[in-house]
Amino acid sequence: MKKMTISTLVKQKQNGDKITALTAYDASFAKLFDEQNVDVLLIGDSLGMVLQGQDSTLPVTTAEVAYHTRSVAAGVNAAFVIADMPFMSYSTPAQAYENAGQLMAAGASMVKLEGGAWLCETITGLKQRGVPVCGHLGLTPQSVNVFGGFKVQGREDDKARQLIEDALALEAAGAQMLVLECVPTKLGKAVTDQLSIPVIGIGAGVHTDGQILVMHDMFGVSANYMPKFSKNYLAETGDLRKAVALYIEQVKNGQFPGPEHSFDK
């Protein structure tokens, strides 16, 4: 297996080869996913909910993400490793530089930040300092209290236009990948078509360049609830490795996500 890089992922977008991604939090599962040829592993601040039992991602710290990043990196040979920057760990550029440095030193190849055009200065500064950045738009869980809950974003025309403008701004600032969460399928396609960087969807429809799932959702063991955009692959296969292989197959051939996992409007 060749080591995945951002150049490899961009080439997959250009070739129409869907990108597969999963969250991971330890070496054992990271190794399992890597051996099944998952392209991208994300150490998500979702760990606050699926590992710690919190009701949001907000309590997660940079030190906790760094710990899990070291664990995941130890189990990986080929997958591209992205680490989430937690809530309020990048409120200023200087703060972002310091915290991103910790995550890169722990083994990440890229960091992920939630937010729109207000992050452009930070993204440019991180790239100049050798830190690749993945943006995150749509439902950004760190803003759950602003949104008033976990709700689909971009349903109104003006909100959809703003999201597209934010996506273009992030790319222009130097973001090299984008996660797009919980938006209507039509908007997911519009964003993907307008960007030259890979767009990874979760609840953003089938037309994005790739898909990501929280591993606990894919295995049906999430502590809280199963989101509409997720699918329990373990229930269908009865085996962890077969579940991952089926997920990869269905993302690659466009079977997942289906209409039942997506939002029309």
Side-chain angles (χ1 to χ4, degrees):
M1 294 184 292
K2 292 183 178 180
K3 180 69 176 175
M4 297 296 295
T5 67
I6 189 60
S7 297
T8 313
L9 297 170
V10 170
K11 187 171 291 186
Q12 285 188 221
K13 175 186 175 83
Q14 294 169 345
N15 293 340
D17 180 10
K18 295 286 188 179
I19 297 165
T20 58
L22 288 169
T23 65
Y25 314 95
D26 64 41
S28 296
F29 276 106
K31 184 174 186 292
L32 187 155
F33 298 155
D34 193 56
E35 289 174 345
Q36 296 300 312
N37 297 321
V38 174
D39 297 318
V40 176
L41 295 182
L42 169 69
I43 299 87
D45 57 4
S46 50
L47 69 89
M49 302 175 77
V50 297
L51 297 186
Q52 298 175 347
Q54 308 284 351
D55 60 5
S56 76
T57 64
L58 304 188
V60 176
T61 67
T62 300
E64 289 170 340
V65 176
Y67 169 85
H68 289 282
T69 299
R70 282 191 294 273
S71 299
V72 168
V76 165
N77 286 318
F80 190 74
V81 176
I82 306 175
D84 262 344
M85 295 195 68
F87 179 63
M88 293 300 288
S89 68
Y90 50 96
S91 56
T92 66
Q95 185 184 34
Y97 305 155
E98 180 178 353
N99 289 319
Q102 294 182 44
L103 299 180
M104 295 294 286
S109 296
M110 175 178 273
V111 299
K112 181 167 76 63
L113 294 74
E114 297 181 8
W118 67 272
L119 280 171
C120 286
E121 179 187 355
T122 297
I123 290 171
T124 300
L126 284 168
K127 186 177 180 183
Q128 289 171 340
R129 288 159 176 80
V131 180
V133 175
C134 176
H136 186 154
L137 292 172
L139 173 57
T140 47
Q142 293 175 14
S143 300
V144 61
N145 291 318
V146 174
F147 294 150
F150 295 96
K151 300 178 179 180
V152 178
Q153 302 297 306
R155 281 179 157 154
E156 302 84 0
D157 288 346
D158 60 329
K159 297 291 179 59
R161 283 193 298 270
Q162 182 61 59
L163 192 148
I164 292 171
E165 289 175 7
D166 280 340
L168 290 168
L170 296 182
E171 180 179 41
Q176 294 176 278
M177 191 182 298
L178 179 71
V179 168
L180 191 57
E181 181 170 356
C182 278
V183 301
T185 297
K186 183 178 178 181
L187 180 55
K189 184 178 188 304
V191 172
T192 303
D193 289 347
Q194 293 195 47
L195 297 187
S196 60
I197 60 176
V199 177
I200 310 300
I202 178 166
V206 72
H207 303 295
T208 54
D209 299 309
Q211 302 292 329
I212 185 167
L213 285 180
V214 173
M215 57 166 280
H216 292 70
D217 291 342
M218 187 183 70
F219 294 143
V221 295
S222 289
N224 298 315
Y225 75 102
M226 178 68 74
K228 171 184 169 70
F229 51 73
S230 294
K231 180 176 179 179
N232 184 345
Y233 279 93
L234 183 59
E236 192 166 333
T237 61
D239 179 88
L240 293 176
R241 289 172 177 81
K242 289 179 180 178
V244 177
L246 183 61
Y247 166 68
I248 293 172
E249 176 187 337
Q250 293 194 346
V251 170
K252 294 288 188 183
N253 66 23
Q255 281 182 264
F256 180 83
E260 68 274 26
H261 310 113
S262 307
F263 304 97
D264 291 333
K265 58 182 180 178

